[in-house]
Amino acid sequence: MNIGIFTDTYFPQVSGVATSIKTLRDELIAQGHHVYIFTTTDPKAKHDDVENGIYRFASIPFVSFSDRRIAVRGVFRAIKLAKKFQLDIVHNQTEFALGVMGKTVAKHLHIPCLHTYHTMYQDYLHYIANGHILKPNDVARLAHLYLKNISGIIAPSDRVLDTLTSYHVESPIRVIPTGINLRVYSKRDSAEEIANLRAKLGYGEETPVLLSLSRLAYEKNIHSLIEAMPDILAHRPDAQLLIVGDGPARHTLERQVREMQLNDNISFAGEISNDEVYHYYQMADVFVSASDSESQGLTYDEALASDLPIVVMRSEYTDQLIDDAAIGISFQKRADLVKGVLFYLNQPKNSESRLKRQQKLHEISAEVFVEKVIQFYQDCQNDMTVQDELNQTEKSHRLFHRPRS
């Protein structure tokens, strides 16, 4: 199949959405399909990367979200490219400019247009005029309007499905969690490589390390992890929290660490290339997250694929993912966060826990993920063919029974 992916966010921008799209692209290609990325320009990327099928459209920074971009023109160019590539499917990954462009292209070529609903926008309204302009009801109305006449919608989790159902979205919806590229996370660093990275970060080989990896945004609740550190240190004074990522909350979080006098036990690694992230998972002892805004929890799956137990805020997604203590522990209160971290720091790694984590991997693999996506593509194509036949039959029936003058 020839597949056009339309997205406002793609590498070198770092985000869960960008990672999800790259996983989808890479696995589609691995399974023999042709993929073309229609995305925004970026100061860190060349305009087009024809060799890798990446085409960029003029864009500007998004309001109150300056590290994200939104396209400002290019629909006629997109249609021209889509015809050249003979697209069979348009798969949108954004509700903004590139998403509207994707819908236009699909309508012009008369092909199915699918959409993955990644972002729970009600959790991000504070970025726009501190939440004074858009309200949750506005999000519901706009989402319902945008998703009208979409061939099919992919919800990465039951939480997204429930949200879209509450918006009275009428298009077919399937829950298909984003998979993990096991070819990347199955790589294993040697003991020497792990020791070298730990030494670079200022840790000894036996230092217990908690890893937080995400965009440093307020809705990720990283401040809650910092607040819990004194309780953890009371039991494990040598514990370290490594915060990987960058974003608008970084300065606030760094100030919090200084004010709590935790500089000796909490450090910031900044933004790490997606190609290097797996080294950090392997270096750590436990992955931690207090985010309550996750629609799919990709970093949880990445940690699991890296043989790392997780201690994360409870959600509908974690209720499905975590079915054994070998996988991880979810929490709602700080005391349970602390208890969960100490459980893994004090428990020696064993082959039984490793085996249980490995057994979970097939369910969250990129291969299974893309197989389900391809099936949805084909079902949407079939639905469009059936609808066309019905429309043609109805048209013929009207012509045949037209009253004679």
Side-chain angles (χ1 to χ4, degrees):
M1 300 177 76
N2 298 321
I3 301 154
I5 295 179
F6 287 71
T7 174
D8 289 317
T9 301
Y10 197 66
F11 291 108
Q13 296 178 31
V14 177
S15 69
V17 174
T19 299
S20 172
I21 296 167
K22 190 174 188 302
T23 299
L24 173 64
R25 171 194 177 274
D26 291 350
E27 189 59 35
L28 283 169
I29 292 173
Q31 294 190 23
H33 303 282
H34 303 284
V35 181
Y36 305 93
I37 303 290
F38 295 70
T39 189
T40 54
T41 52
D42 190 282
K44 298 179 182 178
K46 58 184 178 180
H47 184 67
D48 285 339
D49 184 355
V50 176
E51 183 179 353
N52 289 301
I54 300 171
Y55 297 85
R56 297 186 179 273
F57 294 79
S59 65
I60 58 175
F62 187 63
V63 179
S64 302
F65 216 167
S66 59
D67 58 344
R68 297 291 178 262
R69 303 184 67 84
I70 186 165
V72 292
R73 63 177 182 271
V75 65
F76 294 113
R77 177 176 176 241
I79 291 173
K80 183 178 179 180
L81 288 170
K83 287 181 176 179
K84 176 183 175 181
F85 303 143
Q86 299 181 330
L87 294 187
D88 299 302
I89 292 285
V90 165
H91 189 166
N92 291 343
Q93 310 283 334
T94 173
E95 297 75 26
F96 296 99
L98 262 300
V100 174
M101 194 182 297
K103 289 183 71 174
T104 303
V105 167
K107 184 176 181 180
H108 195 87
L109 272 63
H110 192 61
I111 58 177
C113 181
L114 287 85
H115 181 85
T116 296
Y117 196 87
H118 288 282
T119 306
M120 306 296 282
Y121 289 103
Q122 63 269 33
D123 296 330
Y124 295 81
L125 296 180
H126 55 278
Y127 282 109
I128 304 176
N130 291 322
H132 295 306
I133 296 178
L134 289 177
K135 303 295 182 184
N137 286 342
D138 298 317
V139 172
R141 180 174 52 82
L142 292 171
H144 178 88
L145 181 64
Y146 169 80
L147 294 171
K148 199 172 183 64
N149 300 320
I150 287 285
S151 305
I153 302 167
I154 294 175
S157 66
D158 286 336
R159 182 189 179 202
V160 176
L161 172 64
D162 293 342
T163 297
L164 294 179
T165 301
S166 72
Y167 293 169
H168 305 293
V169 171
E170 298 170 356
S171 300
I173 306 173
R174 291 188 190 176
V175 176
I176 307 179
T178 299
I180 297 299
N181 189 336
L182 299 182
R183 288 185 293 274
V184 172
Y185 292 96
S186 63
K187 298 176 185 177
R188 287 290 175 261
D189 289 341
S190 66
E192 182 180 359
E193 289 172 322
I194 292 174
N196 288 340
L197 178 56
R198 279 177 161 255
K200 178 182 175 182
L201 295 167
Y203 306 146
E205 293 186 23
E206 302 300 322
T207 301
V209 178
L210 290 62
L211 175 67
S212 165
L213 194 153
S214 72
R215 184 170 182 272
L216 304 193
Y218 296 99
E219 64 275 2
K220 299 297 183 181
N221 287 335
I222 299 170
H223 68 277
S224 296
L225 301 178
I226 296 172
E227 289 171 354
M229 275 302 287
D231 294 339
I232 295 171
L233 293 172
H235 298 273
R236 293 296 301 265
D238 55 344
Q240 294 284 334
L241 170 61
L242 178 65
I243 299 174
V244 175
D246 207 348
R250 178 165 181 170
H251 295 305
T252 302
L253 295 171
E254 289 176 333
R255 184 172 62 248
Q256 180 186 4
V257 170
R258 290 193 300 270
E259 291 175 350
M260 293 183 67
Q261 299 181 353
L262 291 171
N263 298 75
D264 292 338
N265 296 92
I266 300 178
S267 55
F268 294 80
E271 188 174 284
I272 302 298
S273 165
N274 186 68
D275 296 331
E276 302 296 321
V277 161
Y278 75 96
H279 297 298
Y280 287 78
Y281 285 116
Q282 292 188 42
M283 173 276 307
D285 295 289
V286 58
F287 178 85
V288 291
S289 172
S291 173
D292 58 1
S293 64
E294 301 303 308
S295 61
Q296 50 189 322
L298 278 180
T299 53
Y300 307 169
D301 297 342
E302 291 172 354
L304 178 58
S306 303
D307 198 26
L308 189 66
I310 63 177
V311 178
V312 297
M313 178 70 78
R314 185 179 180 185
S315 67
E316 291 181 14
Y317 181 73
T318 61
D319 286 345
Q320 295 174 342
L321 178 67
I322 300 174
D323 54 13
D324 193 289
I327 307 297
I329 294 172
S330 63
F331 67 88
Q332 290 179 300
K333 299 178 180 180
R334 184 193 304 178
D336 293 325
L337 162 62
V338 173
K339 183 179 178 181
V341 168
L342 294 174
F343 172 78
Y344 291 113
L345 293 185
N346 295 329
Q347 178 181 343
K349 295 181 179 179
N350 59 75
S351 57
E352 182 180 353
S353 293
R354 183 173 294 110
L355 178 61
K356 289 180 179 178
R357 287 195 283 271
Q358 291 293 323
Q359 291 171 342
K360 195 77 176 179
L361 292 183
H362 179 72
E363 301 174 25
I364 61 173
S365 68
E367 183 179 2
V368 170
F369 161 57
V370 168
E371 286 173 356
K372 292 178 180 178
V373 171
I374 287 294
Q375 185 61 58
F376 203 7
Y377 288 168
Q378 293 170 344
D379 290 345
C380 288
Q381 286 179 316
N382 292 337
D383 289 345
M384 177 172 277
T385 299
V386 170
Q387 188 60 51
D388 287 345
E389 291 174 350
L390 289 173
N391 291 341
Q392 186 60 41
T393 300
E394 184 179 343
K395 181 179 179 180
S396 299
H397 185 269
R398 287 200 305 268
L399 288 172
F400 185 78
H401 292 283
R402 180 182 296 172
R404 296 182 179 181
S405 55

